[in-house]
Amino acid sequence: MSIQPDIKVIVETDCPIATINPNIYGHFAEHLGYCIYGGIWVGENSSIKNNRGIRSDVVEALKKIKPSVVRWPGGCFADDYHWRDGIGPGESRPRRINLHWGKVIEDNSFGTHEFIEFCRQIGAEPYICGNVGSGTVREMKDWLEYMNSLKDSTLAQERAANGSLQPFNVKYFGIGNENWGCGGNMSAEYYANEVKRYSTFLHPFGEKPLYKIACGPCGDDANWTRRFFEALEGHLGLIQGFAAHYYCGTSGTATEYTDTQWYDLLHKALKMESLLLKHRAIMDEFDPERKISLIVDEWGTWHPVIPGTHPRFFHQQNSLRDALVAALTLDIFNRHADKIAMANIAQLVNVLQAMILTKDKNFLLTPTYHVYEMYAVHQGAQSVRCNINTDEIHFNIEDETRLLPRVAGSASMKNDLLNLSLVNTHTREPIAVELDIRGCLSVQVKEYRVLTADDIHAHNTFNEPERVQPVSKSPTEIVEENLIVTLPAASVNLITCKIKVKDTK
Ligand code: AHR
């Protein structure tokens, strides 16, 4: 018996959008709660297996998702961080109070060298965020010279004395974080002037050009974007990136929510698309050649913390719903590969929408991690047009009816492989999707992977760490001859096809 499709997905393999910058699969690690300490860094003398103080289980897991770039040391922490505190022998590093995150003692045992070592172990580019809020131009400039100088300067000698003769070649450098808030409560005009002043002195010091990133808006604050670019006019060449933050927040708690709250959170996550369009359109008025890239260097869900944990440590569970938030958001980035150059989900381990949760020796991969592992195939691939003729789910919240697409997704091509990711947002109903793959001579489904569970609240725990994980299905099991796929309810799907493209000669 043949299945009647509910909707059609049209993939136009001959309509390229842009190469998907691997950096949109980027990460963020802040000195906050158990992200660095306990999550990444345990120290060389720990009974937890480590390589030079860095947790081996975390490194091995992260390597599998191809982490392109990691932003560090914050976040709000960055504008209260003085890099000299984190170099030199561990025992002589000062103990400071972590002003923003629980006023706990920061012993600075994880500093610049340890961060670079972590990036090397996981194969990621470092993205360092400098201190504008409470630092100085000289301090920021010296940090770059310390990290990157090839010359025999005193700062380069100090780096060598601290264990690295070779420069760190840091390319991505942030000029402050959330300077409209925790980074100094500045106006857009004041901050733009600070960017001009700081950026003038931020030299690469090495062989590679520096990629300087300015603080962008909070969510859809178009006012910040417009006023910043108005004030920066004439000096646009001083920055290469402009980074917005958008947290879709929560609805219910991390693991307790109704169907309506499930839809509500996915709906909030989808706002990322209009934010990208809005900010890029304003930037285009000032920078039509798109020399400055739009970045989203913090995004994700923000739930109430796990009961009993520190309220300022943002230690939250991560369910199947978070996986769908991640997938829907990454699909937006893929579809707008021409508009976004980097994105960093918050945060890597134990904080907010984490990839990994740890507690002492315990370790688990979250449903969000599995989305990153599945979607890694999109990194560096050509995003192609993917039109989904979907119906919408109607749900009522705050006395309003809202609409959520039943299915969303994206498609990309690399060599002879087409990867199509599709999310079925419905909490209970599967959906039959007809794939209409155009612009190529032949299509053969090679692999089909699904991330779902029998309960929309499913999540991984230290007792049941594999409750939510992707499964592979044989192509013949799910795909009929005319390419009809039934996507299970509440699922993230990755369909890999081998395609033969038309000879364009
Ligand atoms: O990711 C947690 C915090 O959220 C960051 O430190 C800050 O930039 C944002 O407000």
Side-chain angles (χ1 to χ4, degrees), residues 28 30 32 71 74-77 101 177-178 180 182 245 247 298 302 314 346-347 351-352:
F28 172 37
E30 180 167 12
L32 193 174
R71 178 172 180 252
C76 297
F77 182 82
W101 309 129
N177 167 75
E178 295 195 351
W180 36 261
C182 66
H245 288 178
Y247 288 96
E298 285 185 33
W302 197 311
F314 309 142
Q347 300 193 5
V351 172
L352 299 174

Side-chain angles (χ1 to χ4, degrees), residues 7 22 184 263 285 293 315 331 348 369 382 401 420 434 462 469:
I7 64 162
Y263 294 132
E285 290 175 31
S293 298
H315 188 40
D331 282 325
L348 252 186
Y369 170 94
Q382 179 68 237
T401 300
L420 176 60
E434 181 182 350
F462 296 127
Q469 59 171 344

Side-chain angles (χ1 to χ4, degrees), residues 277-475:
L277 295 173
K278 183 190 265 188
H279 294 302
R280 188 64 255 183
I282 297 170
M283 290 168 71
D284 285 349
E285 290 175 31
F286 297 89
D287 172 35
E289 290 174 44
R290 297 193 173 169
K291 289 189 176 155
I292 301 174
S293 298
L294 180 58
I295 286 170
V296 182
D297 64 11
E298 285 185 33
W299 68 272
T301 56
W302 197 311
H303 302 300
V305 299
I306 295 175
T309 63
H310 195 298
R312 298 292 281 169
F313 282 10
F314 309 142
H315 188 40
Q316 67 186 38
Q317 248 300 353
N318 191 299
S319 76
L320 180 63
R321 186 174 60 156
D322 295 83
L324 267 79
V325 166
L328 290 170
T329 308
L330 292 171
D331 282 325
I332 293 170
F333 294 153
N334 288 343
R335 292 199 300 273
H336 294 284
D338 54 335
K339 301 179 197 72
I340 177 156
M342 187 195 291
N344 311 69
I345 188 169
Q347 300 193 5
L348 252 186
V349 193
N350 291 329
V351 172
L352 299 174
Q353 193 175 350
M355 302 290 124
I356 294 170
L357 300 181
T358 66
K359 178 137 184 23
D360 307 323
K361 282 197 161 73
N362 294 312
F363 163 96
L364 66 80
L365 304 174
T366 65
T368 298
Y369 170 94
H370 291 304
V371 172
Y372 272 73
E373 185 274 313
M374 289 166 77
Y375 277 47
V377 290
H378 287 303
Q379 291 191 24
Q382 179 68 237
S383 172
V384 291
R385 190 158 307 149
C386 174
N387 299 313
I388 304 180
N389 300 321
T390 178
D391 25 305
E392 284 160 324
I393 297 165
H394 295 232
F395 66 99
N396 294 318
I397 199 142
E398 292 163 11
D399 293 332
E400 221 184 83
T401 300
R402 298 199 180 144
L403 305 178
L404 180 75
R406 184 70 205 280
V407 174
S410 66
S412 74
M413 280 164 57
K414 203 190 264 175
N415 304 322
D416 59 350
L417 290 184
L418 170 74
N419 278 294
L420 176 60
S421 37
L422 293 172
V423 177
N424 178 3
T425 61
H426 203 288
T427 50
R428 291 165 203 282
E429 290 174 17
I431 189 164
V433 172
E434 181 182 350
L435 307 182
D436 182 355
I437 298 171
R438 298 182 181 169
C440 54
L441 297 171
S442 66
V443 183
Q444 189 195 356
V445 178
K446 297 294 288 177
E447 201 183 0
Y448 173 49
R449 297 179 75 205
V450 190
L451 184 72
T452 188
D454 52 9
D455 176 0
I456 60 165
H457 309 96
H459 54 278
N460 295 335
T461 61
F462 296 127
N463 287 334
E464 209 185 349
E466 295 178 354
R467 172 86 172 84
V468 186
Q469 59 171 344
V471 292
S472 289
K473 294 196 177 186
S474 108

Side-chain angles (χ1 to χ4, degrees), residues 13-14 413 439-442 499-505:
T13 61
D14 48 0
M413 280 164 57
C440 54
L441 297 171
S442 66
I499 57 168
K500 202 162 171 205
V501 288
K502 283 180 190 157
D503 192 353
T504 46
K505 272 182 228 153

Side-chain angles (χ1 to χ4, degrees), residues 113 146 149 151-168:
H113 289 253
Y146 178 88
S149 181
K151 301 259 167 68
D152 186 27
S153 70
T154 299
L155 283 164
Q157 286 169 5
E158 194 178 1
R159 182 190 67 231
N162 286 332
S164 187
L165 185 60
Q166 292 307 315
F168 295 150

